[in-house]
Amino acid sequence: MSFFKRLKEKLIGGNEEQEQKVDQLALSEQETANQPQVALIEETTVQEPVEQAEEVVEPEVKQVAATPEKAEAEQVEAILFGNEVLESAEVVEEKVEEIKPSAWSITQKFKAGLEKTRNSFTSKVNDLVARYRKVDEDFFEELEELLLQADVGFETVMELMDKLRFEVQRQNIKDTNGIQAIISEKLVEIYESGEDNLTNLNIQQDGDLTVILFVGVNGVGKTTTIGKLAHRLKSEGKSVMLAAGDTFRAGAIEQLQVWGERVGVEVIAQSEGSDPAAVMYDAIRAAKNRGVDVLICDTAGRLQNKVNLMNELEKVHRVISREIPNAPHEVLLALDATTGQNALVQAQTFKEVTNVTGIVLTKLDGTAKGGIVLAIRNKLHIPVKFVGLGEKMDDLQPFDAERYVYGLFADGLEQELKEFEE
């Protein structure tokens, strides 16, 4: 039952009641803000992180982003002391504090993002469990077929079946009661394979520049993902710069510049058709001169079977390594989850050329075959570091195997969790 324990402590976190309290407090603050002679408090929400440090409301009054506890306390002070709070706010330097998404809200993102896969795959698993009252070889054969249909991958499915058969025999399990929890736990074990910190980026310490190189074919959402990652790193307090190395695709430079303006980071670019390696050289020099923490480099994304593209990527890699030893510190491959097994082929090819350190799986919310995550990890031994779970700026989330599996089996697991707690 250790999987249930992790579900409760890690995935659900502060629980739904705390989320509701935050929502109620935000509503209360909004109503209070409309009343006269009360200090204006603007709270950051879980869904929309603050992007501007401060914003002028009136010539003498600044909005202050606050935690729920701080906001509530300041509202009481405002009612008791009136304008004195505003006068003191002008003297004391304001510090913006962003409310971080709770464990519960992040878990819900995975649940919502995997809805299509869950509706297709998990509903069939639920039907299978309902039809088979006992765990036998026929049950395993049908489950194996369902996993293959979800693009989990042949090797992963075979490994999972072996683990399930062993566990069923070890625990002397006769019926299908609680079988989804066992399936979930074994999937997490296969993905993690005893390794820790799979999603952590190799960010350099002591003010050294970190270089992240993005690769991937056209159309996978690479540029959008770069913008979202820049937003995420900037919200963590890091200074970020972008390098427009995709100089061949029409509009690629302009698209990255739009994202740079949206996120509020500088973009180093040259004219269309320029040498990508020269762009990287200029970007590294600029990043060093400006004391930037992280440089994210876009690259061309023509079909991965083009030899000239791969030679080009090798040249870019050499230029970066020459300017900064041991760089790039991360080579992230953007893959479109909706392409299924084709994404696995792309990953194999790029790994041979660029030494990919991590996968960013985009459009996971748009596919019914979300099992490709497990296939990539188990066959190529490359961790999925981020997944795209929607269109919003903060829908790029660090991959979490337990949240992912929970998203796949949410309905059945919630019922089993309820029965376990009772």
Side-chain angles (χ1 to χ4, degrees):
M1 294 300 181
S2 59
F3 186 75
F4 283 133
K5 185 177 180 180
R6 289 200 300 273
L7 270 179
K8 189 171 183 180
E9 294 180 357
K10 177 182 177 182
L11 305 190
I12 299 179
N15 75 39
E16 192 172 8
E17 290 182 5
Q18 290 186 1
E19 290 289 304
Q20 292 173 350
K21 288 180 181 178
V22 171
D23 293 338
Q24 290 171 359
L25 181 57
L27 179 62
S28 174
E29 289 177 356
Q30 185 177 1
E31 293 173 350
T32 306
N34 294 327
Q35 299 176 5
Q37 297 182 350
V38 177
L40 179 60
I41 309 294
E42 180 179 84
E43 177 190 351
T44 57
T45 64
V46 170
Q47 292 80 10
E48 299 293 339
V50 172
E51 295 187 18
Q52 299 296 328
E54 54 184 12
E55 181 179 343
V56 177
V57 181
E58 294 178 354
E60 297 81 20
V61 182
K62 291 182 179 179
Q63 290 182 332
V64 181
T67 59
E69 295 81 3
K70 182 179 178 183
E72 186 175 14
E74 289 184 0
Q75 286 175 5
V76 174
E77 290 179 355
I79 295 171
L80 292 176
F81 303 109
N83 292 333
E84 289 181 11
V85 174
L86 299 181
E87 292 171 359
S88 63
E90 294 176 359
V91 178
V92 180
E93 182 180 355
E94 307 293 357
K95 180 178 180 181
V96 176
E97 295 182 10
E98 180 181 335
I99 296 177
K100 296 181 179 179
S102 67
W104 173 258
S105 66
I106 295 174
T107 301
Q108 291 303 97
K109 279 185 180 291
F110 275 82
K111 181 180 177 181
L114 287 161
E115 183 178 2
K116 287 187 177 181
T117 298
R118 187 169 61 253
N119 290 343
S120 172
F121 166 64
T122 316
S123 60
K124 294 177 182 178
V125 173
N126 291 337
D127 292 342
L128 179 64
V129 171
R131 283 190 290 108
Y132 284 86
R133 303 314 303 168
K134 63 178 182 178
V135 180
D136 55 18
E137 195 57 34
D138 290 338
F139 172 82
F140 282 126
E141 286 181 4
E142 283 203 44
L143 177 61
E144 180 180 311
E145 184 178 346
L146 290 179
L147 289 165
L148 288 171
Q149 291 174 3
D151 269 355
V152 173
F154 180 77
E155 292 87 350
T156 310
V157 171
M158 293 301 102
E159 183 178 349
L160 175 62
M161 289 299 104
D162 290 343
K163 287 179 176 290
L164 284 176
R165 287 186 174 93
F166 175 80
E167 197 65 26
V168 166
Q169 185 177 6
R170 187 182 72 84
Q171 296 187 28
N172 195 27
I173 296 172
K174 300 299 183 182
D175 56 44
T176 56
N177 234 359
I179 193 68
Q180 289 194 41
I182 297 175
I183 296 172
S184 302
E185 186 161 18
K186 295 308 168 187
L187 285 174
V188 171
E189 286 181 6
I190 289 173
Y191 183 88
E192 294 180 342
S193 303
E195 297 182 47
D196 296 326
N197 303 321
L198 292 174
T199 63
N200 289 357
L201 292 176
N202 183 22
I203 301 296
Q204 303 303 290
Q205 305 300 320
D206 302 323
D208 292 337
L209 176 63
T210 299
V211 180
I212 300 175
L213 186 67
F214 260 85
V215 298
V217 302
N218 288 337
V220 298
K222 178 158 52 74
T223 305
T224 299
T225 302
I226 288 173
K228 290 181 178 180
L229 180 59
H231 168 74
R232 183 177 189 86
L233 292 171
K234 188 179 177 185
S235 68
E236 293 173 358
K238 295 178 177 61
S239 56
V240 182
M241 180 180 286
L242 306 181
D246 187 356
T247 60
F248 298 103
R249 179 171 64 90
I253 297 173
E254 290 78 6
Q255 185 183 2
L256 192 67
Q257 288 172 331
V258 168
W259 269 105
E261 292 176 4
R262 186 179 301 174
V263 178
V265 299
E266 185 178 359
V267 179
I268 303 299
Q270 294 184 10
S271 60
E272 189 174 318
S274 300
D275 182 1
V279 176
M280 300 307 169
Y281 178 83
D282 288 347
I284 290 173
R285 288 300 179 93
K288 285 181 175 180
N289 291 337
R290 292 163 177 71
V292 169
D293 296 322
V294 182
L295 173 64
I296 305 178
C297 304
D298 192 10
T299 61
R302 290 166 298 183
L303 290 177
Q304 74 274 12
N305 57 4
K306 297 286 185 68
V307 176
N308 61 336
L309 171 60
M310 293 309 174
N311 291 338
E312 188 177 280
L313 289 176
E314 289 179 341
K315 181 180 177 183
V316 167
H317 198 288
R318 285 197 308 271
V319 169
I320 293 174
S321 300
R322 187 179 66 222
E323 294 300 313
I324 303 177
N326 302 320
H329 304 98
E330 291 281 1
V331 179
L332 300 182
L333 171 61
L335 295 175
D336 183 343
T338 63
T339 61
Q341 290 296 312
N342 189 40
L344 185 60
V345 174
Q346 291 176 26
Q348 287 175 308
T349 305
F350 274 100
K351 183 184 179 184
E352 293 171 1
V353 178
T354 58
N355 188 28
V356 175
T357 60
I359 303 291
V360 180
L361 199 60
T362 67
K363 308 176 189 179
L364 190 60
D365 58 313
T367 181
K369 295 188 174 184
I372 193 64
V373 174
L374 294 160
I376 291 171
R377 169 62 179 161
N378 199 42
K379 188 168 184 178
L380 302 180
H381 305 289
I382 303 174
V384 176
K385 297 212 170 188
F386 292 93
V387 289
L389 299 172
E391 299 298 325
K392 294 181 181 178
M393 191 86 78
D394 62 344
D395 282 338
L396 181 69
Q397 290 290 328
F399 180 74
D400 184 293
E402 288 171 343
R403 286 190 171 95
Y404 165 76
V405 171
Y406 170 81
L408 287 179
F409 296 96
D411 300 332
L413 286 176
E414 285 171 357
Q415 180 60 35
E416 290 185 10
L417 178 59
K418 182 179 179 182
E419 294 174 358
F420 169 69
E421 289 180 333
E422 292 175 352

